[in-house]
Amino acid sequence: MSIAKYMVSACVLASVNASAVDINLPSLMKTLNKSDDPVLMVIGNDAYRHDTITRGEFEYMYNKNNNISLDGPMSVDEYKELFINYKLKAFDATKTFPELKLNTYTNELESYAKHLAYPYMIDKTLEKQFVNEAYRREQEYVTASHILIKGVNEKSRKKIEDIYARLKKGEKFFDLAKANSDCGSAARGGFLGEFSVFDMVYDFETVAYTTPVGEFSEPFTTQFGYHIVYIHDRRPRAISVEAQEIFFPIETRETYVDSVFASAKKSKKFDKVVTKYSMKGNAKKDKGHMVVKDNGMYPQEVVDKLFKMPVGDIQKFKSQFGHHIFKVNKMETAVPLDSAKYEALKKRVMSGDRYEAVKGKVAVNLRERRGFAVNDSILNLVTKYEFTDSNDMKDSLNKIDGTWYVYNGDDVTTEIFRDDLIKFQASYREKTIDRYIKTSIPIDTNLSYKQNMLNYIYSRVDGDALNSELLNIAKKNKEFVYALKEYSDGLLVYAASEHNIWGHKSTKPDSLSKFFRARKENYQYDEPKWVGIIYSVANKDTLKKIKNYAAKNPNLDAFNFYELVRENVWSGFMAKKGAWKAGENAILDKYYFKTIPADSTVEVEKYPIVYLYGNESKIPQWHTLVKGKVIADYQKELEKNWINRNRRIYPVIIKEDVYKTVNNH
């Protein structure tokens, strides 16, 4: 089986669980509003998130948006008006949707704050550790086989442990993989072939690179399930090879090639064998010397052969071009870890499942810095109460007295942990009864009771540590402050725009029709069409009624005539509204454009009599005929009205002395 690159281990407990950690947003937001920057403007009339804008925040937004503007650079004055409109929308959202502070808005902002903070928490030492590890692994290819038991659960764990025990007793890896592995590679005895860094998920790669050649690993997990890996071989990853070649055309007898190969293997002077036997034109002069790189200059099958040969080895090889006898003299295996190489590796390290491992290490470091330590014995003790309900657990806790874990120099005892443990117990029991239910505390049914308990403790500790780090980052890094405020504004503006512009308001048929009718001349077709109503009428009495209304109201346009007939002639007809050119409607082609013979038969919907009301025009009569354009224009109108309303009801104070110093201080 080819293990996908970016799958994350199901048992990585070290990284901060986004759903389990609550960011202290109120405290963080208060920190965001504290800055050494001078105040540039105050928006709104209530002291909250969006009231005070510093010069630094305005400059950050102006310079960032000016660099990516498709319409070219804007002046500070031009941007100021757009900025105020945007900030007023965000401010209005806090008034219109106060529940956003507690619901979707908060969850989204929490998630983004964590995402934004991690790069600030990854120090250079940790970064170098992961980059250097990737660099070292890049220098080697590993050939391996594995046994996979799908699922990270108790059943899978027991099965992999049984297989591991059989391996330790001497059973063949190939046979056990073929009989037990839940992977397509089972038919090959678990053989995965050759791979290098970034080719496998990080957890699998790490075990493969730390298991000695000729040995198998202990069981370990990835998102796929439980694995045991066996390492067949390791070889240097070449980037260039210096070699010599004895070449023969494809038609050369193989027995002759074999005899030369035997001589080359015995001879201590490969140069002489090359000059005597090689049939390549310049062999006598250059003695078959060649420098091969994987850059397209040599056939890939030749490159692959040479890059796998040990230095000093002599091998024969048949390709589509002929017969080759190669000797490898020297191999270059490493690109120097210069700044360019470092940055390229850093970019790959800080993405995918490897980045999750980096973040996991950050969480571990934060715990260690705060002296975190778990009392494993008390966790083992509590596992016997796994299936106890919450009420009975209250009594059981009296028998489990002691320190659960140490953090920041404090002992978290049973008394302190009691209420949280009872909540955990309730969530665990709910989840084990119904795995699809959403519990107040996240529970992973693939993990053991103890592991879920440990996860919960981690989430408590990591939440506290992360809150402290976020506050420190916000105090020290203005770009973090500005980016988080920008995202906060964006969430609020999006929600308010859904309500004021994009939602049901802009798609209500009556509102769109009214908007369109007031400016229908703006939506003219490029060329005239017949615009009107095609009536199919059941009988002459109904036709007479429709014609009478037409005679009495000769100046009505198609829209108003349709409404008149619809309200007064209730039955006996069908109406089709629209705009057509010749060739687009068979009834019109027969009765109006006369492009179809009068005696021809065309489908007339349901009723036999045809009556046309309309004329050739460039002006459509119904918004549905140009609905996309109408909706776009109506949304612009709604936004304009919203902006004007905000400007009217919310004050904006600009400190002109500070404004003059924007990008000039």
mmCIF file of all heavy atoms in Angstrom, residues 196-237:
data_model
loop_
_atom_site.group_PDB
_atom_site.id
_atom_site.type_symbol
_atom_site.label_atom_id
_atom_site.label_comp_id
_atom_site.label_asym_id
_atom_site.label_seq_id
_atom_site.Cartn_x
_atom_site.Cartn_y
_atom_site.Cartn_z
ATOM 1 N N SER A 196 11.688 7.842 0.495
ATOM 2 C CA SER A 196 12.558 8.780 1.194
ATOM 3 C C SER A 196 11.708 9.765 1.979
ATOM 4 O O SER A 196 10.489 9.581 2.116
ATOM 5 C CB SER A 196 13.476 9.504 0.202
ATOM 6 O OG SER A 196 14.440 10.289 0.890
ATOM 7 N N VAL A 197 12.331 10.817 2.468
ATOM 8 C CA VAL A 197 11.636 11.807 3.286
ATOM 9 C C VAL A 197 10.468 12.414 2.513
ATOM 10 O O VAL A 197 10.530 12.579 1.292
ATOM 11 C CB VAL A 197 12.629 12.899 3.742
ATOM 12 C CG1 VAL A 197 13.101 13.752 2.565
ATOM 13 C CG2 VAL A 197 12.041 13.776 4.837
ATOM 14 N N PHE A 198 9.385 12.710 3.230
ATOM 15 C CA PHE A 198 8.150 13.311 2.700
ATOM 16 C C PHE A 198 7.321 12.350 1.846
ATOM 17 O O PHE A 198 6.254 12.725 1.373
ATOM 18 C CB PHE A 198 8.422 14.588 1.883
ATOM 19 C CG PHE A 198 9.138 15.673 2.628
ATOM 20 C CD1 PHE A 198 10.407 16.079 2.254
ATOM 21 C CD2 PHE A 198 8.534 16.295 3.714
ATOM 22 C CE1 PHE A 198 11.077 17.079 2.938
ATOM 23 C CE2 PHE A 198 9.191 17.301 4.417
ATOM 24 C CZ PHE A 198 10.463 17.699 4.029
ATOM 25 N N ASP A 199 7.804 11.113 1.634
ATOM 26 C CA ASP A 199 7.030 10.174 0.812
ATOM 27 C C ASP A 199 5.951 9.465 1.619
ATOM 28 O O ASP A 199 4.984 8.966 1.040
ATOM 29 C CB ASP A 199 7.953 9.115 0.186
ATOM 30 C CG ASP A 199 8.829 9.685 -0.909
ATOM 31 O OD1 ASP A 199 8.454 10.723 -1.483
ATOM 32 O OD2 ASP A 199 9.894 9.097 -1.187
ATOM 33 N N MET A 200 6.143 9.370 2.912
ATOM 34 C CA MET A 200 5.188 8.688 3.788
ATOM 35 C C MET A 200 4.664 9.680 4.832
ATOM 36 O O MET A 200 5.224 10.758 5.009
ATOM 37 C CB MET A 200 5.864 7.510 4.506
ATOM 38 C CG MET A 200 6.417 6.444 3.573
ATOM 39 S SD MET A 200 5.077 5.556 2.753
ATOM 40 C CE MET A 200 5.996 4.251 1.928
ATOM 41 N N VAL A 201 3.596 9.286 5.539
ATOM 42 C CA VAL A 201 3.162 10.119 6.653
ATOM 43 C C VAL A 201 4.295 10.178 7.675
ATOM 44 O O VAL A 201 5.095 9.258 7.807
ATOM 45 C CB VAL A 201 1.867 9.578 7.301
ATOM 46 C CG1 VAL A 201 0.699 9.689 6.347
ATOM 47 C CG2 VAL A 201 2.027 8.143 7.769
ATOM 48 N N TYR A 202 4.343 11.284 8.404
ATOM 49 C CA TYR A 202 5.502 11.562 9.241
ATOM 50 C C TYR A 202 5.752 10.478 10.286
ATOM 51 O O TYR A 202 6.889 10.058 10.510
ATOM 52 C CB TYR A 202 5.331 12.919 9.921
ATOM 53 C CG TYR A 202 6.477 13.280 10.833
ATOM 54 C CD1 TYR A 202 7.741 13.560 10.319
ATOM 55 C CD2 TYR A 202 6.301 13.319 12.217
ATOM 56 C CE1 TYR A 202 8.798 13.880 11.149
ATOM 57 C CE2 TYR A 202 7.354 13.641 13.052
ATOM 58 C CZ TYR A 202 8.600 13.919 12.515
ATOM 59 O OH TYR A 202 9.655 14.230 13.339
ATOM 60 N N ASP A 203 4.695 10.006 10.959
ATOM 61 C CA ASP A 203 4.884 8.989 12.002
ATOM 62 C C ASP A 203 5.458 7.702 11.427
ATOM 63 O O ASP A 203 6.307 7.050 12.041
ATOM 64 C CB ASP A 203 3.555 8.706 12.706
ATOM 65 C CG ASP A 203 3.121 9.858 13.580
ATOM 66 O OD1 ASP A 203 3.964 10.716 13.877
ATOM 67 O OD2 ASP A 203 1.946 9.908 13.979
ATOM 68 N N PHE A 204 4.978 7.315 10.250
ATOM 69 C CA PHE A 204 5.498 6.105 9.605
ATOM 70 C C PHE A 204 6.952 6.315 9.193
ATOM 71 O O PHE A 204 7.810 5.456 9.401
ATOM 72 C CB PHE A 204 4.647 5.756 8.384
ATOM 73 C CG PHE A 204 4.959 4.416 7.792
ATOM 74 C CD1 PHE A 204 4.240 3.292 8.151
ATOM 75 C CD2 PHE A 204 5.993 4.263 6.866
ATOM 76 C CE1 PHE A 204 4.537 2.045 7.611
ATOM 77 C CE2 PHE A 204 6.301 3.025 6.329
ATOM 78 C CZ PHE A 204 5.565 1.910 6.701
ATOM 79 N N GLU A 205 7.219 7.475 8.592
ATOM 80 C CA GLU A 205 8.581 7.795 8.147
ATOM 81 C C GLU A 205 9.558 7.738 9.326
ATOM 82 O O GLU A 205 10.659 7.186 9.208
ATOM 83 C CB GLU A 205 8.592 9.198 7.535
ATOM 84 C CG GLU A 205 9.960 9.713 7.149
ATOM 85 C CD GLU A 205 9.953 11.219 6.948
ATOM 86 O OE1 GLU A 205 9.230 11.689 6.046
ATOM 87 O OE2 GLU A 205 10.663 11.920 7.681
ATOM 88 N N THR A 206 9.149 8.303 10.470
ATOM 89 C CA THR A 206 10.033 8.355 11.636
ATOM 90 C C THR A 206 10.409 6.961 12.113
ATOM 91 O O THR A 206 11.575 6.681 12.409
ATOM 92 C CB THR A 206 9.356 9.154 12.770
ATOM 93 O OG1 THR A 206 9.193 10.511 12.338
ATOM 94 C CG2 THR A 206 10.192 9.130 14.045
ATOM 95 N N VAL A 207 9.443 6.068 12.187
ATOM 96 C CA VAL A 207 9.745 4.695 12.611
ATOM 97 C C VAL A 207 10.644 4.010 11.584
ATOM 98 O O VAL A 207 11.599 3.308 11.943
ATOM 99 C CB VAL A 207 8.445 3.891 12.822
ATOM 100 C CG1 VAL A 207 8.766 2.438 13.165
ATOM 101 C CG2 VAL A 207 7.606 4.512 13.927
ATOM 102 N N ALA A 208 10.366 4.235 10.293
ATOM 103 C CA ALA A 208 11.171 3.596 9.247
ATOM 104 C C ALA A 208 12.626 4.050 9.300
ATOM 105 O O ALA A 208 13.549 3.258 9.070
ATOM 106 C CB ALA A 208 10.572 3.909 7.873
ATOM 107 N N TYR A 209 12.855 5.321 9.602
ATOM 108 C CA TYR A 209 14.221 5.842 9.623
ATOM 109 C C TYR A 209 14.959 5.550 10.931
ATOM 110 O O TYR A 209 16.164 5.756 11.015
ATOM 111 C CB TYR A 209 14.216 7.346 9.355
ATOM 112 C CG TYR A 209 14.286 7.677 7.880
ATOM 113 C CD1 TYR A 209 13.128 7.830 7.133
ATOM 114 C CD2 TYR A 209 15.502 7.802 7.234
ATOM 115 C CE1 TYR A 209 13.178 8.112 5.775
ATOM 116 C CE2 TYR A 209 15.576 8.086 5.882
ATOM 117 C CZ TYR A 209 14.408 8.236 5.155
ATOM 118 O OH TYR A 209 14.473 8.510 3.810
ATOM 119 N N THR A 210 14.245 5.090 11.950
ATOM 120 C CA THR A 210 14.907 4.802 13.233
ATOM 121 C C THR A 210 14.974 3.310 13.548
ATOM 122 O O THR A 210 15.504 2.926 14.599
ATOM 123 C CB THR A 210 14.162 5.532 14.380
ATOM 124 O OG1 THR A 210 12.775 5.199 14.346
ATOM 125 C CG2 THR A 210 14.321 7.034 14.255
ATOM 126 N N THR A 211 14.444 2.477 12.661
ATOM 127 C CA THR A 211 14.535 1.022 12.849
ATOM 128 C C THR A 211 15.750 0.493 12.092
ATOM 129 O O THR A 211 15.918 0.800 10.909
ATOM 130 C CB THR A 211 13.254 0.327 12.335
ATOM 131 O OG1 THR A 211 12.125 0.850 13.049
ATOM 132 C CG2 THR A 211 13.332 -1.178 12.524
ATOM 133 N N PRO A 212 16.622 -0.280 12.718
ATOM 134 C CA PRO A 212 17.832 -0.780 12.035
ATOM 135 C C PRO A 212 17.497 -1.709 10.870
ATOM 136 O O PRO A 212 16.454 -2.371 10.853
ATOM 137 C CB PRO A 212 18.572 -1.535 13.146
ATOM 138 C CG PRO A 212 18.031 -0.984 14.422
ATOM 139 C CD PRO A 212 16.600 -0.646 14.141
ATOM 140 N N VAL A 213 18.413 -1.771 9.902
ATOM 141 C CA VAL A 213 18.276 -2.682 8.765
ATOM 142 C C VAL A 213 18.251 -4.125 9.268
ATOM 143 O O VAL A 213 19.030 -4.510 10.146
ATOM 144 C CB VAL A 213 19.429 -2.487 7.760
ATOM 145 C CG1 VAL A 213 19.378 -3.556 6.664
ATOM 146 C CG2 VAL A 213 19.362 -1.102 7.142
ATOM 147 N N GLY A 214 17.326 -4.929 8.710
ATOM 148 C CA GLY A 214 17.214 -6.327 9.097
ATOM 149 C C GLY A 214 16.387 -6.558 10.340
ATOM 150 O O GLY A 214 16.295 -7.693 10.816
ATOM 151 N N GLU A 215 15.749 -5.502 10.866
ATOM 152 C CA GLU A 215 14.932 -5.645 12.075
ATOM 153 C C GLU A 215 13.526 -5.105 11.822
ATOM 154 O O GLU A 215 13.288 -4.355 10.881
ATOM 155 C CB GLU A 215 15.571 -4.903 13.252
ATOM 156 C CG GLU A 215 16.920 -5.483 13.661
ATOM 157 C CD GLU A 215 17.498 -4.789 14.891
ATOM 158 O OE1 GLU A 215 16.720 -4.112 15.609
ATOM 159 O OE2 GLU A 215 18.714 -4.918 15.123
ATOM 160 N N PHE A 216 12.599 -5.500 12.685
ATOM 161 C CA PHE A 216 11.237 -4.971 12.609
ATOM 162 C C PHE A 216 10.969 -4.101 13.834
ATOM 163 O O PHE A 216 11.575 -4.274 14.891
ATOM 164 C CB PHE A 216 10.195 -6.090 12.486
ATOM 165 C CG PHE A 216 10.300 -7.180 13.508
ATOM 166 C CD1 PHE A 216 9.757 -7.019 14.777
ATOM 167 C CD2 PHE A 216 10.937 -8.384 13.201
ATOM 168 C CE1 PHE A 216 9.847 -8.024 15.724
ATOM 169 C CE2 PHE A 216 11.028 -9.394 14.144
ATOM 170 C CZ PHE A 216 10.481 -9.215 15.408
ATOM 171 N N SER A 217 10.051 -3.163 13.677
ATOM 172 C CA SER A 217 9.745 -2.212 14.744
ATOM 173 C C SER A 217 8.751 -2.798 15.730
ATOM 174 O O SER A 217 8.143 -3.835 15.485
ATOM 175 C CB SER A 217 9.147 -0.937 14.145
ATOM 176 O OG SER A 217 7.836 -1.205 13.639
ATOM 177 N N GLU A 218 8.560 -2.100 16.830
ATOM 178 C CA GLU A 218 7.435 -2.370 17.703
ATOM 179 C C GLU A 218 6.166 -1.832 17.029
ATOM 180 O O GLU A 218 6.245 -0.996 16.124
ATOM 181 C CB GLU A 218 7.637 -1.683 19.059
ATOM 182 C CG GLU A 218 8.794 -2.250 19.866
ATOM 183 C CD GLU A 218 8.931 -1.573 21.219
ATOM 184 O OE1 GLU A 218 8.153 -0.616 21.479
ATOM 185 O OE2 GLU A 218 9.790 -1.989 22.005
ATOM 186 N N PRO A 219 4.990 -2.290 17.441
ATOM 187 C CA PRO A 219 3.755 -1.744 16.861
ATOM 188 C C PRO A 219 3.655 -0.239 17.119
ATOM 189 O O PRO A 219 4.042 0.255 18.183
ATOM 190 C CB PRO A 219 2.648 -2.496 17.605
ATOM 191 C CG PRO A 219 3.283 -3.773 18.054
ATOM 192 C CD PRO A 219 4.707 -3.409 18.371
ATOM 193 N N PHE A 220 3.141 0.494 16.128
ATOM 194 C CA PHE A 220 2.928 1.937 16.259
ATOM 195 C C PHE A 220 1.691 2.312 15.456
ATOM 196 O O PHE A 220 1.174 1.516 14.676
ATOM 197 C CB PHE A 220 4.154 2.724 15.789
ATOM 198 C CG PHE A 220 4.456 2.581 14.316
ATOM 199 C CD1 PHE A 220 4.028 3.543 13.403
ATOM 200 C CD2 PHE A 220 5.167 1.482 13.831
ATOM 201 C CE1 PHE A 220 4.301 3.410 12.049
ATOM 202 C CE2 PHE A 220 5.450 1.350 12.478
ATOM 203 C CZ PHE A 220 5.013 2.313 11.585
ATOM 204 N N THR A 221 1.216 3.520 15.655
ATOM 205 C CA THR A 221 -0.029 3.933 15.014
ATOM 206 C C THR A 221 0.174 5.083 14.040
ATOM 207 O O THR A 221 1.046 5.933 14.219
ATOM 208 C CB THR A 221 -1.077 4.383 16.048
ATOM 209 O OG1 THR A 221 -0.524 5.440 16.825
ATOM 210 C CG2 THR A 221 -1.506 3.244 16.931
ATOM 211 N N THR A 222 -0.659 5.078 13.009
ATOM 212 C CA THR A 222 -0.912 6.252 12.165
ATOM 213 C C THR A 222 -2.423 6.330 12.034
ATOM 214 O O THR A 222 -3.142 5.522 12.628
ATOM 215 C CB THR A 222 -0.280 6.131 10.769
ATOM 216 O OG1 THR A 222 -1.003 5.130 10.024
ATOM 217 C CG2 THR A 222 1.189 5.769 10.838
ATOM 218 N N GLN A 223 -2.903 7.256 11.249
ATOM 219 C CA GLN A 223 -4.342 7.365 11.070
ATOM 220 C C GLN A 223 -4.930 6.117 10.409
ATOM 221 O O GLN A 223 -6.111 5.816 10.538
ATOM 222 C CB GLN A 223 -4.694 8.596 10.235
ATOM 223 C CG GLN A 223 -6.187 8.853 10.158
ATOM 224 C CD GLN A 223 -6.501 10.196 9.556
ATOM 225 O OE1 GLN A 223 -5.708 11.115 9.638
ATOM 226 N NE2 GLN A 223 -7.669 10.313 8.947
ATOM 227 N N PHE A 224 -4.084 5.364 9.712
ATOM 228 C CA PHE A 224 -4.566 4.153 9.050
ATOM 229 C C PHE A 224 -4.853 3.034 10.041
ATOM 230 O O PHE A 224 -5.674 2.160 9.793
ATOM 231 C CB PHE A 224 -3.531 3.659 8.035
ATOM 232 C CG PHE A 224 -3.264 4.644 6.943
ATOM 233 C CD1 PHE A 224 -2.144 5.454 6.981
ATOM 234 C CD2 PHE A 224 -4.129 4.764 5.876
ATOM 235 C CE1 PHE A 224 -1.895 6.370 5.981
ATOM 236 C CE2 PHE A 224 -3.899 5.670 4.866
ATOM 237 C CZ PHE A 224 -2.778 6.481 4.917
ATOM 238 N N GLY A 225 -4.125 3.010 11.153
ATOM 239 C CA GLY A 225 -4.281 1.930 12.110
ATOM 240 C C GLY A 225 -2.944 1.593 12.755
ATOM 241 O O GLY A 225 -2.070 2.453 12.906
ATOM 242 N N TYR A 226 -2.785 0.318 13.121
ATOM 243 C CA TYR A 226 -1.546 -0.157 13.747
ATOM 244 C C TYR A 226 -0.619 -0.755 12.692
ATOM 245 O O TYR A 226 -1.072 -1.478 11.801
ATOM 246 C CB TYR A 226 -1.850 -1.213 14.802
ATOM 247 C CG TYR A 226 -2.383 -0.653 16.089
ATOM 248 C CD1 TYR A 226 -3.749 -0.498 16.292
ATOM 249 C CD2 TYR A 226 -1.514 -0.266 17.113
ATOM 250 C CE1 TYR A 226 -4.244 0.015 17.482
ATOM 251 C CE2 TYR A 226 -1.996 0.247 18.303
ATOM 252 C CZ TYR A 226 -3.364 0.391 18.480
ATOM 253 O OH TYR A 226 -3.843 0.901 19.659
ATOM 254 N N HIS A 227 0.681 -0.453 12.809
ATOM 255 C CA HIS A 227 1.684 -0.964 11.872
ATOM 256 C C HIS A 227 2.815 -1.662 12.620
ATOM 257 O O HIS A 227 3.117 -1.340 13.770
ATOM 258 C CB HIS A 227 2.354 0.172 11.082
ATOM 259 C CG HIS A 227 1.431 1.085 10.364
ATOM 260 N ND1 HIS A 227 1.214 1.023 9.013
ATOM 261 C CD2 HIS A 227 0.676 2.123 10.806
ATOM 262 C CE1 HIS A 227 0.375 1.972 8.641
ATOM 263 N NE2 HIS A 227 0.035 2.654 9.728
ATOM 264 N N ILE A 228 3.453 -2.570 11.906
ATOM 265 C CA ILE A 228 4.811 -3.027 12.235
ATOM 266 C C ILE A 228 5.586 -2.905 10.931
ATOM 267 O O ILE A 228 5.119 -3.353 9.877
ATOM 268 C CB ILE A 228 4.847 -4.486 12.724
ATOM 269 C CG1 ILE A 228 4.006 -4.644 13.997
ATOM 270 C CG2 ILE A 228 6.285 -4.932 12.988
ATOM 271 C CD1 ILE A 228 3.827 -6.089 14.437
ATOM 272 N N VAL A 229 6.772 -2.281 10.976
ATOM 273 C CA VAL A 229 7.547 -2.088 9.757
ATOM 274 C C VAL A 229 8.838 -2.899 9.835
ATOM 275 O O VAL A 229 9.438 -3.017 10.909
ATOM 276 C CB VAL A 229 7.852 -0.590 9.513
ATOM 277 C CG1 VAL A 229 8.740 -0.011 10.596
ATOM 278 C CG2 VAL A 229 8.472 -0.369 8.144
ATOM 279 N N TYR A 230 9.225 -3.478 8.718
ATOM 280 C CA TYR A 230 10.485 -4.234 8.608
ATOM 281 C C TYR A 230 11.372 -3.512 7.600
ATOM 282 O O TYR A 230 10.929 -3.156 6.502
ATOM 283 C CB TYR A 230 10.233 -5.661 8.135
ATOM 284 C CG TYR A 230 11.510 -6.456 7.939
ATOM 285 C CD1 TYR A 230 12.140 -7.068 9.019
ATOM 286 C CD2 TYR A 230 12.097 -6.565 6.679
ATOM 287 C CE1 TYR A 230 13.321 -7.778 8.853
ATOM 288 C CE2 TYR A 230 13.274 -7.271 6.502
ATOM 289 C CZ TYR A 230 13.890 -7.878 7.590
ATOM 290 O OH TYR A 230 15.063 -8.571 7.411
ATOM 291 N N ILE A 231 12.647 -3.287 7.975
ATOM 292 C CA ILE A 231 13.569 -2.541 7.119
ATOM 293 C C ILE A 231 14.497 -3.511 6.387
ATOM 294 O O ILE A 231 15.298 -4.218 7.011
ATOM 295 C CB ILE A 231 14.406 -1.531 7.940
ATOM 296 C CG1 ILE A 231 13.484 -0.611 8.738
ATOM 297 C CG2 ILE A 231 15.307 -0.714 7.016
ATOM 298 C CD1 ILE A 231 12.477 0.158 7.920
ATOM 299 N N HIS A 232 14.387 -3.506 5.056
ATOM 300 C CA HIS A 232 15.228 -4.373 4.226
ATOM 301 C C HIS A 232 16.598 -3.757 3.972
ATOM 302 O O HIS A 232 17.618 -4.447 4.006
ATOM 303 C CB HIS A 232 14.560 -4.618 2.868
ATOM 304 C CG HIS A 232 13.266 -5.342 2.947
ATOM 305 N ND1 HIS A 232 13.176 -6.708 3.092
ATOM 306 C CD2 HIS A 232 11.988 -4.878 2.917
ATOM 307 C CE1 HIS A 232 11.901 -7.063 3.123
ATOM 308 N NE2 HIS A 232 11.160 -5.979 3.030
ATOM 309 N N ASP A 233 16.610 -2.443 3.689
ATOM 310 C CA ASP A 233 17.870 -1.851 3.212
ATOM 311 C C ASP A 233 17.814 -0.340 3.361
ATOM 312 O O ASP A 233 16.741 0.267 3.428
ATOM 313 C CB ASP A 233 18.076 -2.220 1.737
ATOM 314 C CG ASP A 233 19.458 -1.827 1.227
ATOM 315 O OD1 ASP A 233 20.397 -1.781 2.044
ATOM 316 O OD2 ASP A 233 19.585 -1.547 0.021
ATOM 317 N N ARG A 234 18.991 0.243 3.416
ATOM 318 C CA ARG A 234 19.159 1.694 3.325
ATOM 319 C C ARG A 234 20.286 1.965 2.360
ATOM 320 O O ARG A 234 21.268 1.237 2.344
ATOM 321 C CB ARG A 234 19.550 2.278 4.689
ATOM 322 C CG ARG A 234 18.389 2.683 5.527
ATOM 323 C CD ARG A 234 18.838 3.606 6.666
ATOM 324 N NE ARG A 234 17.729 3.785 7.564
ATOM 325 C CZ ARG A 234 17.412 2.945 8.532
ATOM 326 N NH1 ARG A 234 18.175 1.892 8.745
ATOM 327 N NH2 ARG A 234 16.367 3.140 9.286
ATOM 328 N N ARG A 235 20.154 3.024 1.570
ATOM 329 C CA ARG A 235 21.251 3.392 0.683
ATOM 330 C C ARG A 235 21.305 4.910 0.562
ATOM 331 O O ARG A 235 20.292 5.602 0.720
ATOM 332 C CB ARG A 235 21.078 2.763 -0.702
ATOM 333 C CG ARG A 235 19.932 3.323 -1.516
ATOM 334 C CD ARG A 235 19.911 2.737 -2.926
ATOM 335 N NE ARG A 235 18.811 3.257 -3.716
ATOM 336 C CZ ARG A 235 18.854 4.394 -4.414
ATOM 337 N NH1 ARG A 235 19.951 5.142 -4.405
ATOM 338 N NH2 ARG A 235 17.806 4.794 -5.120
ATOM 339 N N PRO A 236 22.489 5.440 0.278
ATOM 340 C CA PRO A 236 22.597 6.891 0.107
ATOM 341 C C PRO A 236 21.755 7.369 -1.070
ATOM 342 O O PRO A 236 21.634 6.680 -2.086
ATOM 343 C CB PRO A 236 24.091 7.111 -0.168
ATOM 344 C CG PRO A 236 24.763 5.885 0.330
ATOM 345 C CD PRO A 236 23.789 4.771 0.155
ATOM 346 N N ARG A 237 21.213 8.529 -0.936
ATOM 347 C CA ARG A 237 20.440 9.132 -2.025
ATOM 348 C C ARG A 237 21.393 9.989 -2.858
ATOM 349 O O ARG A 237 21.771 11.083 -2.466
ATOM 350 C CB ARG A 237 19.310 9.984 -1.463
ATOM 351 C CG ARG A 237 18.455 10.639 -2.542
ATOM 352 C CD ARG A 237 17.286 11.367 -1.917
ATOM 353 N NE ARG A 237 16.441 11.966 -2.918
ATOM 354 C CZ ARG A 237 15.259 12.504 -2.673
ATOM 355 N NH1 ARG A 237 14.801 12.516 -1.430
ATOM 356 N NH2 ARG A 237 14.538 13.029 -3.635
#
